[in-house]
Amino acid sequence: MTKILPFKAVRPTRDKVSLVASRSYQSYTQAEREARLDYNPFSFLHIVNPGYKYDKEISGEARYKLVKNRYSEFKEDGVFIQDQNPCFYIYKIVDRDLQEFNGIVAAASVEDYNNNVIKRHEDTIASREVIFKDYLKTVGFNAEPVLLTYPDNHTISQIITEKQKERAEFEFTTTYRDTHYLWLIEDKKDIKAIAENFSKMNTLYIADGHHRSSSSQLLAEELKKENPNHSGNEPYNFFMSYLISESELRIHEFNRLVKDLNGLTKEEFLIQLDTIYRIENRGIMPYQPSKPHHFSMYLDGEFYSLYLRKTEYEIKTSLDELDAQILYKTILQPILGITDLRNDNRIFYLSGKKDIVNLKSKVDSQEFTVGFGMVPATIEQMKQIADDGLTMPPKSTYIEPKIRSGVTIYEF
């Protein structure tokens, strides 16, 4: 039984939302960030990078306090307003490839996260959890929702479809050519129907935002201890989420690039691979695998197909079936000597949204020696691994949609 609540979002005014909304800070190049900060006074980037106006990098608690100040200034200047009544928010994205995503922005329960009703499939880094928890505690808001996925539900889909027949509260297209829409669900009957249908679901799965959800859990525990009148209904007991049905989620792979062959010659490397994979040289024509346990490899100007020899690899768990885990256990760790997938600077991850030719160009530039491609994980694999209490290797999935920061803001 899951608990999903409406909330009073802080939102940009309709005339400024296209100027406020931003991608995640890290997704911009330095030149892109500077252009937006120099020429767009309403960009949400001014809030998350408050030191820019002083031409100074600011970190830690000093930065957090300035973030809170910038946010307050946006509210004082009327750039942000808060809804008077709790709402659910329908958020629709049509991206530049005409993929369409429809979901609901709502408050999800920390208690559900604690009780494993909201399940995760990735590990988190404790130090990052604490840093983000401290950030949240100081600024008092969250502007980037956790992406949760749920089994397709006819009633919820019907409410979304009917609401989308009305004029959207927000409709704007970004320079990235994505079009974003937002509708408010204020009708009490619809709010009740949505909450009741979610309450009948046994499990929700985190698709993206593992650190944001774990940090919210840490914050809730800390604020609970500090509040002698804690009731469980305080806003800090929930975190903002974007809930999307499983059929609308898009999962891409992360391809792997490695800087060297761990002291091996090309021939020695191929001989070691041959014990675990059936290898075929595909020449200069790009090769993209189409089946699980099949991999592409680009090395020394040529593509290779690698087919796992199943007699040489034992599958005991749902994690063992995952191609990212197979690549790690059979090549990256034993042959190339990469044990720490998160921190080893010899490995780089390339989103599968970029085609295999992009991987080729990275190797041809001599920045990397070898690249590996694979097929994406499935939603069924992700759920099974989470159900089994296991976690995927870092960068196993690149998941869409990616929604903009600053469109809906959750205060606590």
Side-chain angles (χ1 to χ4, degrees):
M1 180 175 177
T2 62
K3 188 173 185 179
I4 299 298
L5 297 182
F7 68 100
K8 300 177 185 178
V10 175
R11 301 183 285 111
T13 55
R14 180 182 283 173
D15 62 314
K16 293 185 177 67
V17 63
S18 63
L19 299 170
V20 171
S22 73
R23 304 200 309 268
S24 65
Y25 183 82
Q26 294 82 3
S27 69
Y28 293 100
T29 65
Q30 183 176 342
E32 287 174 331
R33 279 197 300 269
E34 290 178 354
R36 283 158 175 77
L37 289 164
D38 285 339
Y39 301 110
N40 179 5
F42 301 110
S43 173
F44 195 76
L45 295 176
H46 284 287
I47 294 176
V48 295
N49 187 18
Y52 188 79
K53 67 186 292 185
Y54 303 115
D55 195 25
K56 183 178 175 63
E57 285 288 333
I58 302 172
S59 60
E61 187 66 23
R63 173 178 168 263
Y64 307 160
K65 289 179 179 177
L66 285 181
V67 168
K68 185 175 183 178
N69 290 347
R70 294 291 170 276
Y71 176 64
S72 296
E73 289 165 8
F74 270 50
K75 292 177 71 176
E76 291 163 5
D77 293 343
V79 177
F80 286 141
I81 56 173
Q82 186 168 27
D83 289 317
Q84 296 297 308
N85 299 305
C87 302
F88 287 124
Y89 302 87
I90 297 174
Y91 197 135
K92 174 181 176 180
I93 304 169
V94 180
D95 72 13
R96 63 193 301 163
D97 300 317
L98 300 183
Q99 292 185 112
E100 186 174 308
F101 305 96
N102 300 275
I104 294 176
V105 179
S109 167
V110 168
E111 184 179 10
D112 284 350
Y113 180 87
N114 287 335
N115 293 334
N116 206 32
V117 173
I118 296 176
K119 294 187 177 184
R120 65 181 193 172
H121 66 269
E122 284 186 7
D123 274 332
T124 51
I125 301 170
S127 59
R128 283 185 62 191
E129 292 177 349
V130 172
I131 288 170
F132 194 54
K133 180 265 294 178
D134 291 342
Y135 168 83
L136 292 174
K137 187 175 183 180
T138 300
V139 302
F141 69 86
N142 196 332
E144 191 173 350
V146 173
L147 181 62
L148 300 178
T149 189
Y150 62 90
D152 287 35
N153 180 283
H154 176 72
T155 301
I156 294 174
S157 296
Q158 206 169 33
I159 292 171
I160 290 173
T161 300
E162 285 301 312
K163 191 66 182 179
Q164 288 177 340
K165 293 177 181 177
E166 302 174 11
R167 182 195 179 193
E169 174 69 13
F170 293 159
E171 178 180 352
F172 64 96
T173 300
T174 70
T175 55
Y176 203 63
R177 300 182 184 177
D178 296 338
T179 302
H180 298 248
Y181 305 82
L182 188 81
W183 292 264
L184 278 62
I185 299 182
E186 302 173 277
D187 182 83
K188 291 182 178 179
K189 180 181 175 183
D190 288 340
I191 288 175
K192 182 180 178 183
I194 290 171
E196 286 181 348
N197 275 270
F198 276 115
S199 73
K200 295 173 185 176
M201 299 178 190
N202 295 322
T203 308
L204 300 174
Y205 294 87
I206 300 173
D208 192 23
H210 287 78
H211 281 92
R212 294 193 293 277
S213 51
S214 59
S215 300
S216 296
Q217 185 269 339
L218 288 178
L219 177 64
E221 289 300 315
E222 189 168 306
L223 294 179
K224 175 182 177 181
K225 292 175 183 177
E226 295 175 2
N227 182 4
N229 300 313
H230 173 83
S231 67
N233 296 317
E234 296 87 355
Y236 60 73
N237 293 292
F238 301 86
F239 55 92
M240 185 168 67
S241 299
Y242 180 49
L243 297 111
I244 187 168
S245 64
E246 292 174 4
S247 63
E248 294 208 28
L249 202 67
R250 299 290 180 269
I251 303 178
H252 304 275
E253 72 280 13
F254 267 107
N255 296 322
R256 273 70 169 138
L257 290 154
V258 181
K259 289 186 176 180
D260 59 67
L261 297 181
N262 198 28
L264 300 172
T265 65
K266 173 183 172 182
E267 290 72 23
E268 289 169 339
F269 176 59
L270 290 172
I271 288 169
Q272 290 201 34
L273 280 185
D274 199 280
T275 63
I276 309 165
Y277 291 91
R278 178 181 172 182
I279 305 172
E280 183 178 344
N281 188 322
R282 300 285 184 134
I284 62 172
M285 292 299 294
Y287 167 69
Q288 180 74 48
S290 58
K291 296 180 180 179
H293 308 170
H294 289 189
F295 301 87
S296 63
M297 181 175 73
Y298 185 68
L299 173 67
D300 195 25
E302 294 179 309
F303 283 94
Y304 295 81
S305 59
L306 308 179
Y307 297 166
L308 181 68
R309 298 184 191 275
K310 297 189 178 179
T311 56
E312 300 298 319
Y313 181 81
E314 189 174 10
I315 295 175
K316 294 181 178 179
T317 68
S318 55
L319 181 60
D320 294 334
E321 285 269 9
L322 189 72
D323 280 354
Q325 179 75 354
I326 292 170
L327 193 67
Y328 172 63
K329 285 294 188 180
T330 60
I331 301 177
L332 298 178
Q333 183 186 47
I335 300 177
L336 295 179
I338 296 172
T339 56
D340 188 346
L341 292 171
R342 198 181 296 277
N343 299 309
D344 195 317
N345 62 13
R346 295 171 55 224
I347 189 167
F348 178 79
Y349 302 95
L350 189 66
S351 161
K353 280 207 77 178
K354 298 180 179 179
D355 62 29
I356 204 73
V357 176
N358 195 270
L359 181 144
K360 174 183 181 297
S361 67
K362 292 279 189 184
V363 175
D364 287 343
S365 71
Q366 299 186 350
E367 184 181 358
F368 299 94
T369 298
V370 62
F372 300 95
M374 65 190 85
V375 298
T378 64
I379 182 67
E380 289 76 18
Q381 284 181 302
M382 187 185 83
K383 289 169 60 179
Q384 190 61 59
I385 287 169
D387 289 343
D388 293 342
L390 302 170
T391 53
M392 295 180 176
K395 300 293 185 182
S396 290
T397 56
Y398 178 88
I399 295 181
E400 292 182 305
K402 306 287 186 189
I403 75 173
R404 296 268 160 159
S405 297
V407 177
T408 58
I409 297 172
Y410 181 77
E411 293 187 339
F412 41 83

